Amino acid sequence: MVDRWSGSFEAGVTLIKPEELDFPNTMTDIENDTWILSGSAVMQDGSTIRNGYACDLDCLGAGSRVGIMRSHEGNLHFFVDGQDYGVACSGLPSGVYAVIDLYGQCAQVSITSGSGIHTESNQITVTDIIDQSISTPLSAEATHRFSQCCGNNVAVRTSGTTASRIRNFNHGLVFSCDPLRSDELFEIKIEQLAKQWSGTLHIGLTTMAISDNTPVSILPARAVDLKSKSKITWVVCGSEVKRNGVTVKENYAPSLERLEVGHRVGVMRRSDSTMHIFINGEDMGTAANNIPKNSFAIIDLYGMAEMVSVTSSMFTMISNNSRPPSIRSDSSSDSLEKEIDLDTAQSVSLLFHGNHGKNIVLSNKNSTANRVASYNQGVVVSHKSLPRNHLFQVRIDSLHPRWTSSIMIGVIAFPPEKYSLPLCASAIKKPSWVIQTESVFQNGVKVKDKYGPNLDTLQAGHIVGILVDDDSSLHLHVNGIDHGVAAKDIPVLCYAVVDLYGQCEQVTIVTEHEALPEIPAADREKADIEDGMKERICKTPPSEPSKVKNCEYQNMCARFKALIGLPDGYFNSDFNMCYCETCHKSRGDEPYYKRGEPLKDYAVPFGWCRFALRISPKAQVLNVFEKWHVAFHGTKVEAVRRILDFGDLCRPGDFTMEGNQLAPQPGHFTENRKPDNSDIKQISLSPTLRYAGCDTYAPRFEYKDPKTKKMQHARVTFQVCVKPSSYKVGAQTIGANEQIDPRFSNNELEWSTKERGSTMLYGLLIKIEP
């Protein structure tokens, strides 16, 4: 024991094989499949799950004996001098390895037998460790490193992976050794802070051409002083984003001055030319736009920040000698690409690989995977690499409602034969792209949010698949619908990966002929949004409320909502309401209610099902639900996602984010066919769905119910709050000759407004018809 340090011995278990473990500075930095005891705190994957365990390792002295045991029930026990201190945590998988950290005061340990008697056969020598390291195959990963070009006060050590400021508070610039590729994360960890200084680390990207031979004399004292006219530098300082020293965005993210020792900070140039900052693995969103290619990461060890180390890795290209042999071994010109092309031509069928999660049982000639225990360790991988433009699809055979969250799917860019699969696919740290719920994870880090449909809402019988196109872009397909690009720059050698997680218990690989018929492209809306939502990795939504399960009509509407791929992030299921005949009679709803100041009638949406939307905070400030009126807006199914993305209703003549101009609905007045003095470039609303939900405004959409396999028709409308005095009340404009709603005259059915911000969406209404 060495008294001058604080902290001491740490012990636990890990599911990671020793030859695959990238040894961190401390055990608490292992982020997956690891359970440890640090002091009296029990930690899982670096996070504390229990405080005050009966055994406190920091209180042990020299000569103490510590033991670890995983029981048959999956419980972790710790022993001190032969005494069992009870269950520390439970639910541990089998096949774990003991792991010890000689931390702080603990300078030396020896392995003893189970009885506590030391034996020579239990000793491990340095030679043994060296021999094992030599025989361990090298990974395709290579740790990022700093350039030798750095500030006058910086020392770059440990083969370029550690940088420390050795004096003063400035002249601490360091750069990545190479320019970052698209979607490549350069991440560092804070190793040491000097509290006597103010200010702290700055991080960003620069277009300066950096090499180890770049003269240090051209580097200024601080990153914000890089103001060349020909070279541009973007850095985040505190919570501000600066471009060549000028603030371009305020309150971008939590201030970097709050960083502590052990915290991680990263920078990435996305494929859409935006700069993103990551704090402890969490994407803070877009910091800057129009970042050129071949930009270098720049870090300024300023003020308190004295020492950092690189934690991220770059992935080297596979050399020709390391590629697997092609099918035609007799041809000297064969390559991996030719093998994949040949597979595509022969319509290769993929099966599941024999290396899979511990709770998986394969059947049906390895085309069906069944998770037989717990809710995790259900990762399966394709047995062969995924050819370009090959749609790999699985059918969800069974779900178990006792769990939350569900299936994950994506690709990995390394052979699966010898890889120890983690508890869930989104925790894979090696080259991988995994879609979970409505988020995309790259190498275990969330890089995109609000992408495609929420996979947690898929039902038994739904088909989910992935495809990598000729541009190396990954696409997600759900029930035959392509939901656009999930990730770019996917390597040629990649394998499909599926995680039978949570509710998902069994899947079967299906061909395109066995899958559901594809909905025509004209009948669907594709979108791809990145907004840097701040969420924890692997956070899952709660189970659907029981009221959804009690009404078959609401279930039918929910299946249609899932089918058209609307992100769950837009909805608040706590306020969903079904207005089918059974539900509204059981509640005793009146046919009409009044709302707003002054009070105004609106009709209850009988026959529809409402899926409540998340409301902007300004709704409470404006007292919207008490002072504004209630109305409805009909639209087409393919316009729903566009409206949700835009966050408000659009007028005819407006341009979408894709650059398309909106036209009036067929059957409605146009510029060439309208009454005198009327304006069609305005938003049309109505206090009743008998008008807003008619064919003119809410045309029927034909689809196939994934559960019943029957053809159905759906209509969609939005329930909105509209600001009083912001709209005009007018007559119906669809040419009706009879009264449409008995409560309202045909001369007061159409409310129109051109005022921006006068409406607020708060519900998506769906109606299913035969």
Side-chain angles (χ1 to χ4, degrees):
M1 305 290 288
V2 181
D3 292 337
R4 63 177 175 146
W5 304 114
S6 62
S8 188
F9 177 90
E10 295 175 341
V13 295
T14 181
L15 194 61
I16 306 173
K17 294 180 179 178
E19 62 269 20
E20 296 175 356
L21 179 60
D22 184 12
F23 285 87
N25 291 329
T26 68
M27 282 181 62
T28 55
D29 291 335
I30 304 177
E31 296 182 341
N32 62 293
D33 302 341
T34 303
W35 298 259
I36 65 171
L37 179 62
S38 176
S40 62
V42 182
M43 305 181 72
Q44 179 179 350
D45 302 339
S47 300
T48 300
I49 59 174
R50 177 181 177 183
N51 282 309
Y53 180 60
C55 172
D56 187 348
L57 297 184
D58 288 347
C59 296
L60 301 183
S64 297
R65 293 178 289 108
V66 181
I68 313 165
M69 182 184 77
R70 177 196 177 274
S71 69
H72 293 296
E73 295 80 15
N75 298 326
L76 181 64
H77 293 248
F78 288 91
F79 296 75
V80 176
D81 296 328
Q83 179 182 347
D84 184 358
Y85 279 82
V87 176
C89 56
S90 58
L92 271 67
S94 58
V96 293
Y97 296 80
V99 58
I100 306 297
D101 188 352
L102 279 66
Y103 184 78
Q105 295 182 358
C106 182
Q108 180 176 321
V109 298
S110 298
I111 296 178
T112 67
S113 67
S115 62
I117 301 173
H118 181 269
T119 62
E120 292 296 325
S121 61
N122 289 324
Q123 294 183 13
I124 296 180
T125 65
V126 175
T127 306
D128 295 331
I129 298 174
I130 294 175
D131 291 342
Q132 291 178 14
S133 65
I134 293 174
S135 63
T136 302
L138 294 177
S139 170
E141 300 182 9
T143 303
H144 283 128
R145 68 180 183 89
F146 294 120
S147 172
Q148 293 300 316
C149 172
C150 56
N152 285 326
N153 292 339
V154 172
V156 175
R157 303 186 177 95
T158 323
S159 301
T161 61
T162 301
S164 58
R165 197 184 70 241
I166 55 179
R167 56 183 171 268
N168 295 333
F169 61 90
N170 57 6
H171 284 286
L173 294 185
V174 287
F175 303 86
S176 61
C177 181
D178 299 298
L180 302 188
R181 293 176 291 180
S182 294
D183 299 322
E184 183 178 13
L185 178 66
F186 187 94
E187 186 183 61
I188 59 171
K189 185 173 71 171
I190 309 293
E191 299 288 358
Q192 188 172 314
L193 294 174
K195 298 291 186 177
Q196 69 266 29
W197 304 114
S198 61
T200 190
L201 175 142
H202 304 161
I203 187 169
L205 295 170
T206 181
T207 60
M208 289 181 60
I210 300 297
S211 72
D212 289 346
N213 298 320
T214 301
V216 177
S217 59
I218 70 172
L219 300 182
R222 301 182 304 163
V224 294
D225 295 331
L226 285 168
K227 300 178 181 180
S228 169
K229 292 183 179 180
S230 59
K231 304 299 180 182
I232 304 175
T233 300
W234 299 262
V235 292
V236 175
C237 311
S239 60
E240 297 181 346
V241 182
K242 294 181 180 289
R243 183 182 186 271
N244 281 3
V246 178
T247 300
V248 295
K249 183 178 290 190
E250 295 181 342
N251 299 320
Y252 161 66
S255 175
L256 298 186
E257 295 190 7
R258 300 178 184 176
L259 296 176
E260 298 291 342
V261 172
H263 286 187
R264 294 174 290 116
V265 188
V267 61
M268 175 188 292
R269 179 195 177 273
R270 299 292 298 271
S271 55
D272 61 357
S273 301
T274 60
M275 180 177 83
H276 287 237
I277 300 298
F278 291 75
I279 298 178
N280 294 323
E282 200 171 309
D283 187 351
M284 297 292 107
T286 300
N289 298 296
N290 302 318
I291 309 297
K293 293 183 178 179
N294 299 319
S295 295
F296 289 74
I298 177 173
I299 293 95
D300 189 351
L301 299 180
Y302 181 78
M304 292 188 293
E306 274 198 338
M307 181 185 295
V308 297
S309 62
V310 178
T311 59
S312 56
S313 298
M314 61 184 295
F315 305 105
T316 56
M317 299 298 293
I318 300 175
S319 66
N320 290 333
N321 293 334
S322 63
R323 289 177 172 173
S326 60
I327 293 178
R328 297 180 179 176
S329 57
D330 57 337
S331 173
S332 60
S333 62
D334 284 339
S335 66
L336 178 62
E337 288 80 5
K338 288 189 176 181
E339 177 187 351
I340 293 177
D341 290 341
L342 183 58
D343 283 339
T344 306
Q346 295 176 344
S347 299
V348 63
S349 60
L350 299 178
L351 302 173
F352 290 127
H353 196 281
N355 182 24
H356 49 69
K358 294 179 184 272
N359 290 333
I360 289 293
V361 173
L362 300 181
S363 60
N364 194 20
K365 298 181 179 179
N366 284 9
S367 64
T368 296
N370 181 27
R371 196 188 74 237
V372 295
S374 190
Y375 63 91
N376 55 12
Q377 295 198 59
V379 180
V380 288
V381 186
S382 62
H383 80 299
K384 297 174 65 176
S385 60
L386 185 65
R388 288 296 192 259
N389 294 312
H390 179 87
L391 180 58
F392 175 86
Q393 298 185 106
V394 297
R395 180 184 64 242
I396 300 176
D397 295 329
S398 65
L399 298 171
H400 198 303
R402 67 176 293 193
W403 307 113
T404 59
S405 195
S406 191
I407 190 171
M408 307 178 205
I409 192 167
V411 294
I412 60 174
F414 55 90
E417 284 81 6
K418 297 182 180 180
Y419 182 62
S420 178
L421 296 168
L423 297 180
C424 67
S426 59
I428 297 175
K429 304 299 182 183
K430 299 185 73 172
S432 59
W433 294 260
V434 176
I435 302 165
Q436 179 192 16
T437 60
E438 54 187 359
S439 302
V440 181
F441 291 79
Q442 180 179 351
N443 308 341
V445 176
K446 184 188 292 186
V447 295
K448 181 179 290 189
D449 221 331
K450 289 189 178 179
Y451 167 76
N454 188 336
L455 298 187
D456 290 351
T457 64
L458 299 184
Q459 304 296 316
H462 282 192
I463 306 292
V464 58
I466 45 98
L467 176 146
V468 180
D469 62 21
D470 288 327
D471 294 327
S472 300
S473 296
L474 176 67
H475 293 248
L476 172 70
H477 290 246
V478 176
N479 297 322
I481 299 177
D482 181 356
H483 289 276
V485 175
K488 296 183 178 181
D489 299 325
I490 306 299
V492 173
L493 182 68
C494 63
Y495 298 77
V497 59
V498 180
D499 189 351
L500 281 67
Y501 187 80
Q503 294 186 352
C504 182
E505 288 197 325
Q506 181 172 306
V507 299
T508 298
I509 298 174
V510 295
T511 65
E512 292 187 59
H513 301 293
E514 297 172 309
L516 291 174
E518 184 174 348
I519 297 175
D523 294 334
R524 64 180 183 255
E525 180 76 10
K526 290 194 284 187
D528 185 15
I529 298 181
E530 301 163 9
D531 68 353
M533 177 179 285
K534 317 289 190 293
E535 289 183 355
R536 286 287 183 189
I537 294 177
C538 290
K539 180 178 179 181
T540 58
S543 298
E544 288 292 320
S546 58
K547 61 184 180 182
V548 175
K549 300 175 183 177
N550 294 336
C551 176
E552 180 53 35
Y553 183 78
Q554 190 175 27
N555 286 337
M556 190 185 307
C557 293
R559 290 196 296 270
F560 176 75
K561 172 177 166 285
L563 192 64
I564 60 176
L566 302 178
D568 268 9
Y570 287 133
F571 295 88
N572 184 354
S573 61
D574 292 340
F575 298 98
N576 290 351
M577 186 75 72
C578 181
Y579 293 94
C580 71
E581 183 175 359
T582 301
C583 289
H584 88 78
K585 282 185 177 180
S586 66
R587 292 191 302 265
D589 294 336
E590 296 292 338
Y592 301 92
Y593 287 103
K594 296 179 183 291
R595 180 78 65 82
E597 293 180 358
L599 291 172
K600 198 86 170 179
D601 286 342
Y602 72 97
V604 172
F606 291 147
W608 296 72
C609 181
R610 184 181 72 201
F611 295 91
L613 298 171
R614 295 191 184 276
I615 305 300
S616 169
K618 72 177 183 180
Q620 293 183 346
V621 176
L622 299 174
N623 205 5
V624 164
F625 293 107
E626 291 186 12
K627 295 185 176 182
W628 289 22
H629 296 150
V630 174
F632 304 95
H633 175 82
T635 188
K636 297 185 293 186
V637 169
E638 49 265 51
V640 171
R641 177 67 186 263
R642 181 176 62 232
I643 292 172
L644 291 176
D645 292 345
F646 188 73
D648 205 348
L649 299 177
C650 304
R651 303 181 305 178
D654 286 349
F655 287 85
T656 68
M657 289 184 290
E658 296 83 8
N660 302 319
Q661 189 173 22
L662 299 178
Q665 294 278 34
H668 199 265
F669 291 139
T670 64
E671 288 288 352
N672 300 324
R673 186 182 64 83
K674 67 176 183 178
D676 294 338
N677 301 322
S678 64
D679 185 1
I680 68 165
K681 293 184 178 180
Q682 51 193 355
I683 296 170
S684 295
L685 306 166
S686 179
T688 174
L689 277 175
R690 297 193 184 193
Y691 183 76
C694 69
D695 287 336
T696 300
Y697 292 102
R700 301 207 312 170
F701 177 89
E702 187 178 22
Y703 75 101
K704 187 175 184 179
D705 188 296
K707 180 178 179 181
T708 65
K709 310 302 181 184
K710 294 181 180 179
M711 299 305 297
Q712 303 280 6
H713 295 86
R715 299 181 192 269
V716 292
T717 59
F718 283 95
Q719 191 169 7
V720 304
C721 291
V722 55
K723 182 180 178 182
S725 75
S726 69
Y727 62 90
K728 294 180 180 180
V729 178
Q732 58 86 18
T733 57
I734 60 175
N737 297 319
E738 298 179 356
Q739 187 170 357
I740 296 174
D741 190 299
R743 187 63 169 258
F744 304 99
S745 165
N746 281 6
N747 292 324
E748 58 180 354
L749 282 181
E750 186 161 315
W751 301 355
S752 57
T753 179
K754 300 193 326 184
E755 185 177 328
R756 299 285 186 185
S758 63
T759 60
M760 185 170 295
L761 306 174
Y762 77 91
L764 172 67
L765 293 159
I766 297 176
K767 185 177 184 180
I768 306 297
E769 302 171 346

